[in-house]
Amino acid sequence: MRDVAILGVGLNKKWGELWSMSLRDIYVEAALDALDDAGVDHIDSMYVGCMTGGMFVDQEHLGCLMADYLGTNPVPATRVESACSSGGAALRQGFIEVASGISDLVLVGGVEKMTDVSGDEATHALSAASDMEYEAYQGITFPGLYALMARAHMHRYGTTRAQLAHVAVKNHRHGAMNPVAQYPFAVTLEEVLESVLVADPLRILDCSPITDGAAAVILCPLEAARKFAKKPLVKILASAQASSTIALHSRDDMTWLESTAKAAAIAYRMAGKGPGDLQVAEVHDCFTIAEIMVLEALGIVERGRGGEAAASGMTALGGKIPVNTSGGLKSKGHPVGATGVAQAVEIATQLRGLAGPRQVPGARIGLTQNMGGTGGSSVVHIFEAV
Amino acid sequence: MRDVAILGVGLNKKWGELWSMSLRDIYVEAALDALDDAGVDHIDSMYVGCMTGGMFVDQEHLGCLMADYLGTNPVPATRVESACSSGGAALRQGFIEVASGISDLVLVGGVEKMTDVSGDEATHALSAASDMEYEAYQGITFPGLYALMARAHMHRYGTTRAQLAHVAVKNHRHGAMNPVAQYPFAVTLEEVLESVLVADPLRILDCSPITDGAAAVILCPLEAARKFAKKPLVKILASAQASSTIALHSRDDMTWLESTAKAAAIAYRMAGKGPGDLQVAEVHDCFTIAEIMVLEALGIVERGRGGEAAASGMTALGGKIPVNTSGGLKSKGHPVGATGVAQAVEIATQLRGLAGPRQVPGARIGLTQNMGGTGGSSVVHIFEAV
């Protein structure tokens, strides 16, 4: 297997409610941004991470569509879906294709267009990431599922309502420095705690928003990148994926994200690194409780101690390991198919030292963790500046 | 890159209108059949080819769901979508993963559950393989698109209405020998020509049906297969994919399947074989005209001469190169996400000499061609008995 590098990264100009842009427009804008950043004029293959073009905008066959509108056909173009970890899963497929030697230049883009439907319809479409027959059809949707996880975590470990809020406060503070973010403004602890209740204990400011957006990266063999790309190069040290039960009620323990723990274990072994080696991480904070549980599953904090991390400043810019410097799903937005790719964009930007006001000084090794549903799927990547 | 073999194949017991089975049941039945055939008790990774679980049964996150119900989590489980070529595209991802060395035992399954919705809803869901905004929303669905292709082919090359019908007659004759087939019965030329008109010149017996079904294969490195699998082994000589415009109106020539021609050229080069080396092929006969155009794009017949192939007996069992010995999409059925994998199941069965009454004597090299939409995507695989 060949070593793989990220040669360029891109995002569409602004994440949010993009009513004047269609699914294809958003993807193409991010892909062109990445091609421009990489300085290449062709690709050998491409991927589209997208959760549900079908349920959001009545469109499937997304590889073909995007290759057509990007002007890259006849290259192979494949859509990858893993619910909210579709972007991470697409990145893994691109990584494998370059590592295998089949292709040299691979575009991995993620996209979702979520605001062309009503709020009820969006909730329904997102429920397709759960076990629709045994969860959503019985009346529970994602805020409710994560509320159950939050309550269980609070009950078992003493995690507090304020600790949840600190995750939102931290990520909004980071996101206020990210011009692409959907909600680039700070929020106070009081604002989170007094925001409207969605599913007890989760309030609206504990939840990531409904977002239109796209992200893209260009992958190539590390040896080829050494010849013409600017330093530092971003090497993908590890790409790992794992699955767990799709339904929350099938888990032995709903305070533990087994798929994230499994994917992280594989990734750490593949990279020859551990959580102590990381200087920066982007993790899946679809709800505030998710970031807390993910940090535990990644071994960045001890099991049960995730609630203290944001509150203590450990995971803020300036702390021991800044988490979600981009603003995370919470402030930057969560176009579900794009999120996993956008996490890689942020980490690559950090490792190249180009993150501006939200730069983590001297960041050399970073991690992304992207998950689907309530953690039925997780994808973990580790990157190093070389 | 490592050589890759098919270690086992499987189908769910019967294709058709499976009202007592859900999407997950059908996939699991085929996957267990393949695991049993391969004689293995674990896998390292799995793929799910499916066009639109979202629009047909409100369910995405299909990798996770199937791993859960098959009992294979925590292995990585990824859903691949490329409209009606989702199965072929999933097979290519599995091939790349084994070839790369990342995984040894990979399950590739394809599935679709299409009969839980009304006929109108199924037509709408399938339209998501076209350019929904510029084709389906303007009033043209797949029978209409393929009718345009058929009329253009008849006009340019003198292809006749009877030649189209001969494709259906041949494939139903083959399918009558396939116990899994949805419509395992012969039809006469007169029956096809007098069947109800759908979109002139295509009649109902020119169209593949709406089907519930699944197919699965187990892939492994060829060297490992040599150690314990029964002979002959089925080696994947080539796996290639190409794209074209998603909309038919964007093509220079709507009588020519550019994506199939491009994918075939890559596959022939990769395999070191040409169309003259093939003894059997499974191709994408979603409509009778499709088989005619595909044979031309594959170089099995000259351009413009596809109409003569079925009528002459060349592509029937006993002919020079039997095509769609399984019955094809036409008689066996077309659960869109399963089709590309089921084609590989049929070719592997032929190369192992296990096709019973529909066996092609001495078949050593076979090809599959699977396409999405009106040919916006094509995937071509070449297999050899070794």
Side-chain angles (χ1 to χ4, degrees), chain A residues 1-6 44-49 78-80 86-109 217-221 236 239 241 341 379 381, chain B residues 47 78 92-93 96-97 100 102:
Chain A
M1 277 180 29
R2 304 189 294 185
D3 287 334
V4 180
I6 292 182
D44 299 324
S45 177
M46 60 187 275
Y47 290 90
V48 179
T78 305
R79 183 265 191 102
V80 173
S86 297
L91 180 59
R92 181 168 171 273
Q93 295 306 125
F95 169 83
I96 295 172
E97 184 162 345
V98 174
S100 75
I102 284 187
S103 295
D104 287 333
L105 279 169
V106 174
L107 162 66
V108 178
V217 299
I218 309 290
L219 305 180
C220 79
I236 302 180
S239 175
Q241 182 176 338
V341 182
V379 189
H381 284 87
Chain B
Y47 289 90
T78 305
R92 181 168 170 273
Q93 296 306 127
I96 295 172
E97 184 162 346
S100 75
I102 285 187

Side-chain angles (χ1 to χ4, degrees), chain A residues 120-182:
Chain A
D120 280 358
E121 288 167 329
T123 298
H124 176 72
L126 289 168
S127 295
S130 75
D131 189 326
M132 189 65 99
E133 293 176 15
Y134 292 102
E135 293 185 316
Y137 286 171
Q138 313 308 325
I140 192 160
T141 57
F142 275 99
L145 289 164
Y146 274 93
L148 288 174
M149 295 159 84
R151 274 282 171 230
H153 203 274
M154 293 165 87
H155 178 73
R156 177 171 304 183
Y157 297 115
T159 301
T160 67
R161 187 38 275 202
Q163 287 173 335
L164 296 174
H166 275 291
V167 175
V169 171
K170 167 182 74 74
N171 291 349
H172 272 278
R173 193 161 69 234
H174 293 168
M177 292 179 271
N178 185 351
V180 173
Q182 180 172 13

Side-chain angles (χ1 to χ4, degrees), chain B residues 135-141:
Chain B
E135 294 185 315
Y137 284 172
Q138 314 308 323
I140 191 159
T141 57

